């Protein structure tokens, strides 16, 4: 991975971290005897899972599309040439990470794996500290007052 000097300098691709953590959670859950998610209705659990998958995919695809339209990278180790603040970015400053978290949670619910679902909590803290904090500092330095105004008017997650 070639990290640009003018970037948030994130050292790993966040989608791979989500995927890797999910696979570790699924494997560890199996090793631990497949503890189930404590939702009493299997239908409700599946509904919530599929809702997470659909909403998560929609957020990721919508946000990625906006980046492509603006001609900038959706990779935090590359230079950002534009500040995207419209579309789903009016609702959350991190629609891609929120989308990945919803996808992850949805899959964990659908396959009924409690360990994978629980691993989402520390994963979000890692993404917050190692990715989002770096991105926010980079964007503030790159776009200044324009980014600060955006940051102050739109929530980080939801």
């Amino acid at each position: 991975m070639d990290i640009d000097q003018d970037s948030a300098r994130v050292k790993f691709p966040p989608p791979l971290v989500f995927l890797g953590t999910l696979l570790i959670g699924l494997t560890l859950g199996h090793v631990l005897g497949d503890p189930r998610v404590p939702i009493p209705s299997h239908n409700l659990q599946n509904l919530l899972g599929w809702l997470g998958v659909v909403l998560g995919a929609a957020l990721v695809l919508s946000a990625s599309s906006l980046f492509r339209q603006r001609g900038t990278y959706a990779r935090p180790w590359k230079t950002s040439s534009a500040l995207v603040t419209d579309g789903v970015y009016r609702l959350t400053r991190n629609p891609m990470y929120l989308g990945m978290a919803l996808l992850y949670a949805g899959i964990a619910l659908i396959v009924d794996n409690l360990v994978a679902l629980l691993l989402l909590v520390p994963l979000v803290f890692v993404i917050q500290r190692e990715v989002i904090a770096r991105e926010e500092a980079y964007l503030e330095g790159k776009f200044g007052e324009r980014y600060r105004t955006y940051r102050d008017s739109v929530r980080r997650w939801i």
Side-chain angles (χ1 to χ4, degrees):
M1 190 167 75
D2 186 27
I3 300 173
D4 290 354
Q5 289 294 346
D6 177 23
S7 73
R9 302 181 58 92
V10 172
K11 296 176 174 65
F12 53 83
L16 292 182
V17 176
F18 275 93
L19 179 60
T21 304
L22 179 62
L23 293 174
I24 289 168
L26 295 174
T27 303
L28 190 55
H30 183 69
V31 168
L32 295 174
D34 293 321
R36 303 292 174 205
V37 176
I39 295 178
S41 167
H42 183 68
N43 289 337
L44 175 60
Q45 185 170 320
N46 272 334
L47 175 67
L48 292 173
W50 283 109
L51 187 62
V53 167
V54 169
L55 288 175
L59 280 170
V60 170
L61 292 172
S62 177
S64 297
S65 174
L66 288 169
F67 268 65
R68 276 192 308 281
Q69 289 171 15
R70 301 303 182 286
T72 192
Y73 285 103
R75 291 173 271 173
W77 56 90
K78 291 292 184 185
T79 301
S80 291
S81 59
L83 181 62
V84 180
T85 61
D86 58 331
V88 292
Y89 285 90
R90 287 178 291 134
L91 307 172
T92 171
R93 295 195 318 259
N94 295 289
M96 288 188 210
Y97 303 129
L98 177 58
M100 285 184 250
L102 287 169
L103 270 164
Y104 180 116
I107 292 168
L109 286 169
I110 290 166
V111 301
D112 199 11
N113 189 302
L114 180 62
V115 175
L117 189 60
L118 291 175
L119 285 180
L120 180 58
V121 174
L123 172 58
V124 166
F125 282 110
V126 168
I127 293 296
Q128 174 63 43
R129 181 169 180 237
E130 297 299 321
V131 179
I132 294 172
R134 290 172 187 252
E135 287 181 338
E136 289 178 342
Y138 169 70
L139 293 171
E140 184 170 4
K142 177 119 182 155
F143 297 105
E145 187 58 36
R146 186 167 168 233
Y147 175 73
R148 285 188 291 278
T149 299
Y150 169 68
R151 179 197 62 205
D152 294 345
S153 64
V154 176
R155 292 176 184 259
R156 179 179 284 142
W157 287 96
I158 51 174

